Amino acid sequence: MKKYLFALIILLLVCPVISQGQTKISAATRKGAIAKKKKSSRSKPQRETASVPRRLWFTLSLTGAFDSNIDDDEQGLNSFGIVPSVGVHFQDNPEKPSFETHYEVAFHRYTNSDKYDRVSHNLTASHRLQLSRRWQLRTTGEVSLKGSSEDRDVNNQYILEEQLQYRINPNNRLRLFGAYRLKRYPLEDVGKNGVDPYVGARFDQKLRGGRAWEILYRYDKNRSQDPKDRYVRSTYGAQFSTPLFGERQDQLTLDARYAPRLYARQVKVDGERVPRRDQRWTFDVLYERPLRQDMQMGFNYRYETRNSNDPEKNFNSHLFGVTFAYKWWR
């Protein structure tokens, strides 16, 4: 325990910030408010109703979800869940921060299973350093205890990431990143404890009309204590977002991920022992709509499927969720 505490202290000292996080809904609530100016009239000037960007704010969110396969296995146990959360965000500059930090605590409760009932904590922070007009370096760290408000992971993770960004032009960016990640599981799954570093790249482009798209590649190698949980994984991702309904600022985001995984363990296929291979597809649809200046609503649908040469590891799942997020300015 002292060893993990010492590692946590070092992480907090080395990385001036700790960031990454929560749901897309939560991320949307953490963005600074953009000032909006009304058109003035010659005969009757109107008062500007701009929301002033802040450095500190609090967030409240409530998520309800139905999962058709909460355990991600062939049994297909369905469950309803509810996750309320409270967060606080701080940044050193209201418009162009170089330092940001966010803390969130969430309470998870699910029907038909108490395996994922827990209280999770997530502390993130990041520090940006502008190297030149086009180059930017970002140091990010994260301490996640019992997962986050957006998932059902029950492990603890400690992550330190470096990201180098190159701005090709105002609308195109290329990011290269690498991270060192520690995973710690409950006593019954202590064999899964290990180190899972990753490297990758992301390219994104802004389009006209507020649209944007990005592609992602990430490679990670999980080195667990138990050899059967060791694997290498490649993740390929693509995302597209677009506003809807004109000035309403509704946002639709489509996301797809493909992640083949090769295990160190072997399984028997047609009478022969071969390494276990999985192929996992994930499709996400997220619709976000502001109800008012400080409140947002989001609907999410996720389809996930895994094909494996180990027949017992195949599964399909559908997740439907709705989130209400409230941001309280100070």
Side-chain angles (χ1 to χ4, degrees):
M1 187 65 184
K2 292 182 178 179
K3 179 174 65 175
Y4 300 148
L5 181 59
F6 178 73
L8 175 59
I9 295 174
I10 293 297
L11 175 63
L12 293 174
L13 291 176
V14 172
C15 178
V17 261
I18 300 182
S19 141
Q20 172 113 18
Q22 313 302 336
T23 61
K24 295 176 181 177
I25 299 295
S26 299
T29 62
R30 293 198 296 267
K31 293 179 180 177
I34 301 176
K36 300 176 185 176
K37 297 183 179 180
K38 292 186 176 181
K39 296 181 180 180
S40 60
S41 171
R42 292 182 180 179
S43 59
K44 187 178 181 180
Q46 296 179 354
R47 188 179 62 180
E48 183 179 295
T49 58
S51 59
V52 181
R54 309 287 178 144
R55 295 192 302 168
L56 174 69
W57 64 81
F58 299 89
T59 60
L60 298 173
S61 71
L62 178 64
T63 299
F66 169 76
D67 195 329
S68 68
N69 191 349
I70 191 171
D71 290 323
D72 288 347
D73 59 21
E74 287 190 315
Q75 302 300 320
L77 178 66
N78 58 58
S79 176
F80 289 92
I82 185 168
V83 183
S85 67
V86 180
V88 58
H89 181 94
F90 172 79
Q91 56 191 39
D92 62 347
N93 187 288
E95 294 183 341
K96 294 183 178 181
S98 60
F99 170 85
E100 294 180 79
T101 183
H102 186 86
Y103 168 74
E104 183 181 62
V105 56
F107 305 87
H108 307 250
R109 292 296 181 268
Y110 299 90
T111 62
N112 298 332
S113 174
D114 58 3
K115 179 179 179 181
Y116 306 101
D117 292 348
R118 67 199 189 278
V119 177
S120 67
H121 302 266
N122 188 274
L123 175 63
T124 63
S126 64
H127 180 264
R128 282 181 286 239
L129 178 62
Q130 197 69 38
L131 302 177
S132 67
R133 182 169 169 266
R134 295 182 180 270
W135 293 92
Q136 183 185 96
L137 185 66
R138 176 170 179 168
T139 302
T140 301
E142 177 178 2
V143 176
S144 177
L145 305 180
K146 303 297 183 181
S148 67
S149 63
E150 68 176 2
D151 54 40
R152 296 187 307 275
D153 289 337
V154 294
N155 62 349
N156 300 335
Q157 294 194 30
Y158 309 90
I159 305 171
L160 180 61
E161 179 185 282
E162 285 291 341
Q163 176 180 277
L164 181 63
Q165 174 184 284
Y166 176 66
R167 187 170 66 90
I168 303 172
N169 56 49
N171 296 322
N172 296 272
R173 286 175 172 79
L174 175 65
R175 297 178 174 91
L176 305 176
F177 56 86
Y180 186 79
R181 175 169 55 181
L182 293 176
K183 291 182 177 180
R184 293 297 180 263
Y185 287 82
L187 292 178
E188 59 269 22
D189 293 321
V190 69
K192 294 183 179 181
N193 290 349
V195 179
D196 186 14
Y198 60 83
V199 294
R202 176 188 287 110
F203 173 80
D204 60 81
Q205 182 182 54
K206 296 179 182 179
L207 305 174
R208 293 182 178 179
R211 298 177 179 86
W213 65 273
E214 70 174 44
I215 54 175
L216 163 78
Y217 173 77
R218 191 176 76 178
Y219 174 85
D220 66 293
K221 184 175 183 179
N222 186 59
R223 302 193 297 270
S224 61
Q225 294 181 11
D226 193 335
K228 73 181 183 66
D229 291 306
R230 296 174 186 171
Y231 60 81
V232 293
R233 172 177 54 187
S234 294
T235 302
Y236 305 87
Q239 185 180 99
F240 175 75
S241 60
T242 179
L244 297 176
F245 311 124
E247 297 182 357
R248 281 181 174 272
Q249 296 185 337
D250 295 33
Q251 189 82 6
L252 178 67
T253 302
L254 308 175
D255 186 275
R257 299 289 175 102
Y258 170 62
R261 186 184 301 191
L262 176 63
Y263 282 83
R265 66 175 296 190
Q266 294 187 334
V267 295
K268 186 175 288 188
V269 178
D270 297 330
E272 296 184 6
R273 303 292 297 183
V274 297
R276 175 186 163 188
R277 294 177 180 271
D278 291 356
Q279 294 183 339
R280 195 163 186 158
W281 286 91
T282 305
F283 301 95
D284 268 293
V285 179
L286 174 65
Y287 169 68
E288 299 170 286
R289 178 177 183 178
L291 301 179
R292 60 185 200 185
Q293 190 175 30
D294 55 1
M295 182 175 291
Q296 187 165 1
M297 174 180 63
F299 294 96
N300 174 249
Y301 167 71
R302 172 181 293 181
Y303 172 71
E304 195 166 5
T305 182
R306 181 173 65 197
N307 298 316
S308 175
N309 57 0
D310 183 353
E312 296 181 356
K313 301 301 180 181
N314 294 329
F315 80 88
N316 295 290
S317 72
H318 301 268
L319 175 68
F320 301 87
V322 58
T323 297
F324 292 91
Y326 174 74
K327 178 160 57 176
W328 175 32
W329 294 96
R330 294 292 294 175

